[in-house]
Amino acid sequence: MVARAQDRSYRSLSGLERTASTSRVLNLAAVASQNAGDPEYESAPFFKATSLNGAVIIKHRLRADEQYIFDQSKRISTKVIIPFERTDLGLGGRSLFVGQRGWQDLLYQLRGSQEDEARDIALLEALDELPSLDPFLLREHLKRRDFKIANCYFAISAADLERMQRFVSGEISKLVDLAYGGGKGGSPNANISKLVSLLLSGQDDARLEPLRLTLGLEGENFREGIFSWKGFLYYKWVLNSLWPELRQVIAELSEIKVVGPRDYEMLNQVKDVGARVNQAILGQVRKVRASLQVYDDAFGELTQAGNPMAFRNFLLKSPEMFITLGERTGMVSHIASFWRYRFPKGRPLRVELDELFDILQDFHQGLGEDDDHKAKTPGEAPEGELLDPASSEAIGRAVV
């Protein structure tokens, strides 16, 4: 249950009312508000049950006191919040976790209809398979599961998709020589464009057969490996775009000013949590980069050394690695997107102390700092990254 009260859960739900989806949040209530009357939205809804189609779906990092409702331990779960009133999330709502004991019985009570129940359950289970709710991966994953859903639910712009395609083209150009014979039967650029389109289409296609033969994979192993490969390429592209945004967050945390009453004990707690958040951000990005380096090394073996076995072995392991990579990228992506939502560019960087404490606490818990705190030495930036020299202490100084 999400009740209206003066706590972080209420403020978080209420705050979603004006924001769109992020890597951690799929805000179907906002999609409903923005696309009411759109024929495609009306003909291909996300969920068939009206109540679910106005829900807020969250990738939630489970706390210790929430583990007991699951039969097996989990780090991340998919939380479904059905608002009491979708036009006013501040009124709260009812919630459940996908996979908790008895969750389908709870869902039956909340849906309000038996029509297409099996389809909505299967869709929720498909969402739970993903490490995050990044719109590109969400769209690709649900295509593979044969769900017909309107494009308005996947808020990736045409410009972003074009940049993603250019990035992937640059990444896989050397592979074309191996799998498609370079310029044989067409120009190299045409072959690269063809392979990129096939990889990003989300559909099985016989034209991928040369790639399958090059990698020596069969059936489901090939399909799962290709999807996870797309995930690695997507997260590599995301990280390249995300770093400038994270650097801005770190810089703005050093500039933010507290307004209103000050409690000096809470002020010290904010400094402590802020410093931990900073280190946890850097630690998570290091781990994302380490995972991407595993991919780069395996791909290099394929394209530079002509050794397909290394990349084949990577693809066989990649579905499991992809989940962890997605969780970690989603953690830092959420921080960048939420910070910019709360503090738009050009607006004064001012906040009350208790709200800043809540924001940093949310970041701290979402980053999993307690699990992943043993990163490199404090203040050490990821290799190759040009952070401000004092960035490791920036958050700790935020409110002085």
Side-chain angles (χ1 to χ4, degrees):
M1 178 72 68
V2 180
R4 181 165 189 165
Q6 294 300 312
D7 60 20
R8 290 169 52 229
S9 62
Y10 157 65
R11 282 196 289 266
S12 296
L13 183 57
S14 180
L16 288 171
E17 195 160 7
R18 299 183 305 278
T19 190
S21 301
T22 69
S23 62
R24 209 176 81 173
V25 177
L26 177 59
N27 190 345
L28 299 180
V31 176
S33 174
Q34 295 161 8
N35 294 276
D38 184 302
E40 186 188 21
Y41 170 81
E42 300 293 344
S43 63
F46 202 90
F47 291 107
K48 294 299 185 181
T50 302
S51 58
L52 280 181
N53 218 41
V56 178
I57 314 294
I58 298 174
K59 284 294 178 179
H60 176 80
R61 185 180 175 86
L62 292 168
R63 298 183 292 269
D65 62 355
E66 293 171 326
Q67 293 284 353
Y68 78 95
I69 64 175
F70 294 88
D71 289 327
Q72 296 180 334
S73 178
K74 301 180 66 174
R75 285 168 55 91
I76 304 291
S77 183
T78 306
K79 187 173 187 177
V80 182
I81 302 174
I82 300 179
F84 292 131
E85 173 52 62
R86 70 171 63 181
T87 60
D88 185 0
L89 299 187
L91 295 176
R94 296 168 294 179
S95 68
L96 61 85
F97 291 108
V98 175
Q100 72 176 82
R101 282 190 296 274
W103 76 276
Q104 292 188 19
D105 292 334
L106 291 172
L107 183 67
Y108 176 79
Q109 298 173 25
L110 297 179
R111 285 182 85 250
S113 168
Q114 297 183 36
E115 184 180 359
D116 293 309
E117 182 179 16
R119 187 260 188 197
D120 284 354
I121 288 175
L123 179 50
L124 284 170
E125 290 174 335
L127 294 180
D128 201 44
E129 293 170 358
L130 284 173
S132 69
L133 297 170
D134 294 288
F136 176 81
L137 291 177
L138 186 61
R139 183 184 66 177
E140 294 300 302
H141 183 60
L142 297 184
K143 272 187 183 179
R144 293 167 69 236
R145 296 292 188 266
D146 294 324
F147 290 104
K148 311 301 182 185
I149 296 172
N151 287 326
C152 60
Y153 290 99
F154 311 108
I156 182 169
S157 68
D160 277 348
L161 186 58
E162 183 180 349
R163 283 192 289 270
M164 170 71 177
Q165 289 175 321
R166 287 201 303 267
F167 176 81
V168 173
S169 296
E171 285 284 304
I172 69 174
S173 59
K174 294 179 181 178
L175 181 60
V176 173
D177 291 334
L178 290 174
Y180 292 86
K184 297 177 183 178
S187 69
N189 286 341
N191 280 329
I192 292 170
S193 177
K194 177 178 70 173
L195 182 55
V196 169
S197 296
L198 292 175
L199 284 174
L200 298 183
S201 70
Q203 304 294 326
D204 290 335
D205 196 299
R207 289 172 291 177
L208 287 175
E209 184 66 7
L211 178 61
R212 188 192 68 77
L213 292 174
T214 298
L215 299 174
L217 291 171
E218 301 288 344
E220 190 63 19
N221 283 336
F222 180 66
R223 287 188 290 272
E224 290 297 319
I226 291 297
F227 177 72
S228 297
W229 181 17
K230 285 192 289 188
F232 271 77
L233 288 170
Y234 175 76
Y235 286 129
K236 190 172 183 179
W237 173 70
V238 165
L239 190 62
N240 286 343
S241 305
L242 188 59
W243 254 121
E245 298 176 25
L246 286 172
R247 292 177 66 186
Q248 286 187 348
V249 171
I250 291 173
E252 290 178 9
L253 273 165
S254 68
E255 300 166 4
I256 198 163
K257 302 298 181 185
V258 168
V259 297
R262 293 193 177 203
D263 179 298
Y264 284 95
E265 182 177 351
M266 180 177 286
L267 188 64
N268 289 330
Q269 291 179 341
V270 164
K271 293 178 182 179
D272 178 65
V273 174
R276 287 175 176 267
V277 165
N278 189 69
Q279 289 304 307
I281 291 174
L282 298 179
Q284 291 294 357
V285 173
R286 289 188 192 100
K287 291 176 181 180
V288 168
R289 286 189 162 177
S291 295
L292 293 174
Q293 189 62 51
V294 172
Y295 157 73
D296 284 340
D297 291 345
F299 193 67
E301 280 289 307
L302 171 65
T303 58
Q304 297 171 28
N307 175 18
M309 290 303 296
F311 196 62
R312 177 183 183 276
N313 292 337
F314 164 78
L315 289 181
L316 289 172
K317 296 185 295 184
S318 62
E320 181 179 347
M321 297 173 61
F322 161 69
I323 297 296
T324 302
L325 177 64
E327 289 176 356
R328 288 174 173 157
T329 307
M331 290 173 190
V332 291
S333 177
H334 168 72
I335 286 174
S337 60
F338 180 83
W339 184 265
R340 186 54 60 221
Y341 155 74
R342 176 58 185 84
F343 302 104
K345 285 186 178 180
R347 300 279 185 88
L349 288 169
R350 297 179 180 276
V351 65
E352 293 187 0
L353 183 58
D354 62 342
E355 184 183 359
L356 180 59
F357 180 74
D358 285 345
I359 291 171
L360 292 176
Q361 279 281 75
D362 180 66
F363 288 173
H364 179 242
Q365 292 179 3
L367 283 163
E369 189 271 347
D370 291 334
D371 293 340
D372 301 315
H373 189 53
K374 295 180 181 178
K376 295 184 180 180
T377 55
E380 182 181 356
E383 183 178 353
E385 182 52 35
L386 300 177
L387 288 174
D388 296 332
S391 66
S392 66
E393 300 300 328
I395 300 177
R397 297 198 313 267
V399 296
V400 175

